[in-house]
Amino acid sequence: MKKPVDIVMFDLDGTLADTGHDLASSVNFTRARFDLEPLPEKSIYAQVGRGVEYLIKHALPEKSPDDFQQAMHVFLGHYERHLLDRTVLYPGVRDVLDYFCAKRKVVVSNKMYRLTLAVVRGLGVEDCFDAIFGGDSAAEKKPHPALLHVALRRFHLSAAQAVIVGDGDTDIEAGKRAGVM
């Protein structure tokens, strides 16, 4: 049975855009700064989607917790300068966004808001969205439903009126926990 949808929530990394190469490059830059060997890109991709804190903790497990803030600083500094070096929209994304032009569309990413905005803006699709939310736009990151609840409240919509489009278990779980399709 068809359900009316008034808002489509899109994840960013791995859903709208292929951001993996730039994230992996920044992780390996950070590892090099700590005299650690680079990791294969595919192993880094497996850690993407739960926010930068999670990524850094899992990409530098050899480092002590005392080095965490320094590692975050190194990673973020490099990533902010290189977040669009190889990042591209996936084929067909513009067509999908155009197809849903009559619907509200938002980005709900665990990536920090300023980085999410920089990627969306840099890829030239910022005006396709009614709002952009990053992992620091809510008290909790996906898979917690808080980010989705923030988006729903912003537009005074119920979960029954929403769908989330994502590529990972964090998106699926957040959607289920928020009650959206």
Side-chain angles (χ1 to χ4, degrees):
M1 166 154 90
K2 280 187 172 184
K3 286 184 166 184
V5 171
D6 295 313
I7 187 169
V8 182
M9 302 179 194
F10 292 93
D11 176 49
L12 177 60
D13 297 284
T15 301
L16 294 172
D18 181 355
T19 58
H21 297 294
D22 291 331
L23 287 164
S25 173
S26 293
V27 163
N28 281 328
F29 176 86
T30 304
R31 288 182 59 81
R33 290 288 295 270
F34 284 92
D35 297 319
L36 299 171
E37 293 294 319
L39 295 173
E41 284 195 0
K42 286 190 188 260
S43 72
I44 296 169
Y45 299 164
Q47 307 306 322
V48 172
R50 294 184 178 267
V52 67
E53 298 88 354
Y54 182 93
L55 177 62
I56 296 304
K57 282 179 186 169
H58 288 80
L60 285 89
E62 306 91 337
K63 298 312 293 173
S64 75
D66 297 341
D67 294 323
F68 180 74
Q69 288 305 320
Q70 184 183 1
M72 286 281 293
H73 179 74
V74 170
F75 172 84
L76 289 170
H78 187 270
Y79 186 61
E80 285 187 272
R81 291 187 307 275
H82 298 279
L83 54 72
L84 290 167
D85 286 358
R86 294 177 61 194
T87 290
V88 294
L89 288 175
Y90 282 115
V93 165
R94 278 194 191 277
D95 295 336
V96 168
L97 296 175
D98 289 345
Y99 180 82
F100 288 110
C101 65
K103 305 285 183 192
R104 289 194 191 279
K105 294 175 296 306
V106 299
V107 174
V108 286
S109 175
N110 276 346
K111 186 187 295 291
M112 294 173 166
Y113 170 77
R114 74 177 193 265
L115 301 174
T116 301
L117 181 60
V119 170
V120 171
R121 186 174 282 162
L123 293 174
V125 292
E126 181 183 8
D127 3 345
C128 296
F129 296 99
D130 298 287
I132 296 168
F133 300 98
D136 50 351
S137 299
E140 300 282 339
K141 291 178 177 54
K142 297 177 292 179
H144 193 282
L147 195 56
L148 281 61
H149 289 154
V150 166
L152 292 170
R153 279 194 304 273
R154 167 84 177 271
F155 296 103
H156 309 287
L157 296 170
S158 72
Q161 297 169 284
V163 64
I164 183 168
V165 178
D167 68 311
D169 59 341
T170 56
D171 304 307
I172 294 167
E173 187 176 337
K176 285 180 179 177
R177 290 172 71 184
V180 306
M181 292 180 274

